[in-house]
Amino acid sequence: MKSLFSLACIALFLAAPPSPALAGGDGMALLKSECSACHNLTGPAPTTLAELWARKGPDLFYAGNKYRPEWLEQWLQNPRRIRPAGMFYGNHIKPGPEHDLIDKSTLKPHPRLGPADARAVTAALMTLKAKSELIRPGEYKPGRISIAMGDLMFDKFRGCLACHEIEPGYGGLSGPEVYTVARRLQADYLISYMRNPQAWDPRIFMPNKHLKERDLQKFVHYFRALSEEDAP
Amino acid sequence: MNRQLLWAGMMVLAAWASATPGLVQAAERAEDLYKTYCWQCHGMQGDGNGINVRDMPVQPRDHTDPREMAARSDEELFTAIKKGGQAINKSVLMPPWDGVLSDEEIHALVRYLRRLCQCRHGG
């Protein structure tokens, strides 16, 4: 009986004409209809705390300067959490017995796209290139650093581990995980963002740690090494 | 022509405003600043037990502890917030906030910390 019912459901679903939004092809139209409720596609970034708290998803109006397209296309088909405590962590925590805890019930799974839509949306996102003046193309010069040295810099010397996980389940929870960041984001963006997070996002709660240019490069080497280690 | 000049002037101002956080933005309320920037480590109650503490080797200061907090002058608190823990020989885990908070906002946070601990410097 139950399986008859689900068969009927599947039949109905298959019979229903695909909604124009899901037909694929026009990525920009999809972005506007399916994504703009949570993502800002035009800018500017929040300049008040009220706006920062109300932001539902990361700003996408400079997506073409931020993401690696290969990653985008994959993630949109198979999204998994990047920020353990959501967008504004203050909206997703509760007091716990020893310390505050993430309130998982407030975090929702991300919408998922089919392959054709993911490709179309990725192409559209890569055309959104606000804030190009903050990017110096080719600024990152590939190099290597041992994970042990990178850990030391990220943890002991600079205190970044307080807010970022360097492997699943280890590190801080208010910022995005960094063990996947080199796979997700462009190297020149990483340098620019670490140099001055507020230039991208004026009220963001990542501090400007006034890193030396040399260290900016080393952190990207480190993220690349972490991503290789974490590679699926 | 005049309108174009005015427009250009506004664009320059807007660019300047967005490049100098904290300076041009209206100051926010201290408790809202504390919730945004400090809860992550110092916790929703200000007692040093935020979501980030699980793997932190140094416990964030309990801002509700009058004994600990009375040991610091307002100037030291200001410096710790603006320049980070290392500026007062404390842990690098306490970040500098000069990149996002104006001096006016940091002064307001110092007054807010005094409300949290219900204490003054020296007692």
Side-chain angles (χ1 to χ4, degrees):
Chain A
M1 185 61 210
K2 221 170 162 185
S3 61
L4 249 181
F5 178 72
S6 37
L7 256 181
C9 286
I10 292 171
L12 260 177
F13 181 74
L14 289 177
S19 78
L22 295 172
D26 189 349
M28 199 53 84
L30 263 173
L31 273 175
K32 285 184 186 142
S33 65
E34 305 298 306
C35 322
S36 63
C38 298
H39 293 284
N40 186 337
L41 302 171
T42 54
T47 53
T48 66
L49 299 185
E51 287 166 5
L52 185 84
W53 299 350
R55 179 162 59 186
K56 294 207 184 94
D59 290 340
L60 294 179
F61 60 95
Y62 45 82
N65 282 324
K66 177 172 179 183
Y67 304 106
R68 299 184 61 221
E70 317 82 90
W71 173 81
L72 264 183
E73 195 176 325
Q74 267 190 352
W75 188 85
L76 289 170
Q77 297 174 65
N78 189 15
R80 41 174 300 280
R81 192 155 295 293
I82 298 164
R83 295 163 187 74
M87 281 309 294
F88 176 54
Y89 73 95
N91 294 336
H92 302 286
I93 58 178
K94 56 184 182 191
E98 277 155 31
H99 53 74
D100 296 346
L101 296 170
I102 295 172
D103 183 354
K104 293 229 168 71
S105 70
T106 64
L107 296 169
K108 305 267 171 316
H110 195 270
R112 186 184 291 264
L113 295 181
D117 287 344
R119 191 165 331 117
V121 162
T122 297
L125 281 173
M126 293 313 289
T127 66
L128 301 179
K129 289 211 162 195
K131 292 185 180 270
S132 287
E133 70 280 4
L134 296 176
I135 296 279
R136 303 176 194 161
E139 179 175 29
Y140 174 63
K141 304 281 179 252
R144 299 195 75 83
I145 185 176
S146 71
I147 296 236
M149 187 59 206
D151 283 347
L152 209 58
M153 283 179 59
F154 198 76
D155 180 4
K156 295 278 174 315
F157 299 162
R158 292 300 184 175
C160 318
L161 188 68
C163 303
H164 293 284
E165 287 191 332
I166 55 170
E167 61 182 61
Y170 183 63
L173 301 172
S174 60
E177 64 193 25
V178 295
Y179 53 92
T180 57
V181 78
R183 244 181 291 142
R184 292 187 281 116
L185 309 184
Q186 298 171 27
D188 293 335
Y189 170 85
L190 288 173
I191 297 225
S192 173
Y193 190 87
M194 289 187 286
R195 180 183 287 126
N196 185 354
Q198 281 73 32
W200 291 92
D201 197 355
R203 276 303 193 177
I204 193 65
F205 40 95
M206 154 131 171
N208 182 336
K209 290 267 201 168
H210 309 293
L211 300 173
K212 297 196 186 71
E213 293 295 315
R214 206 177 53 234
D215 290 347
L216 295 171
Q217 298 275 340
K218 284 190 188 159
F219 275 127
V220 183
H221 302 338
Y222 173 57
F223 297 147
R224 285 158 54 105
L226 285 179
S227 282
E228 274 167 32
E229 200 179 49
D230 176 69
Chain B
M1 181 60 208
N2 257 340
R3 272 180 97 112
Q4 271 174 14
L5 256 180
L6 188 74
W7 183 239
M10 275 165 58
M11 296 303 281
V12 169
L13 258 177
W16 179 71
S18 65
T20 48
L23 292 180
V24 193
Q25 282 155 193
E28 299 269 359
R29 290 170 356 142
E31 56 233 85
D32 293 347
L33 292 166
Y34 193 83
K35 170 175 171 181
T36 306
Y37 301 102
C38 319
W39 272 18
Q40 35 188 340
C41 296
H42 292 277
M44 306 173 85
Q45 331 276 347
D47 58 1
N49 291 313
I51 45 164
N52 284 340
V53 303
R54 184 190 63 195
D55 298 321
M56 280 171 66
V58 178
Q59 178 82 7
R61 168 73 67 244
D62 178 352
H63 289 152
T64 64
D65 181 337
R67 216 172 35 87
E68 295 273 14
M69 291 298 288
R72 294 270 176 220
S73 68
D74 288 1
E75 291 72 35
E76 283 171 311
L77 296 178
F78 182 91
T79 305
I81 301 170
K82 180 165 178 160
K83 295 290 178 194
Q86 284 178 311
I88 59 161
N89 292 318
K90 288 287 187 170
S91 171
V92 66
L93 292 174
M94 167 60 196
W97 292 103
D98 54 355
V100 63
L101 302 179
S102 65
D103 281 7
E104 185 187 351
E105 289 174 330
I106 298 174
H107 281 301
L109 275 169
V110 171
R111 288 193 295 274
Y112 182 71
L113 293 180
R114 291 300 181 206
R115 290 216 298 280
L116 278 180
C117 72
Q118 308 204 329
C119 73
R120 280 178 306 170
H121 182 212

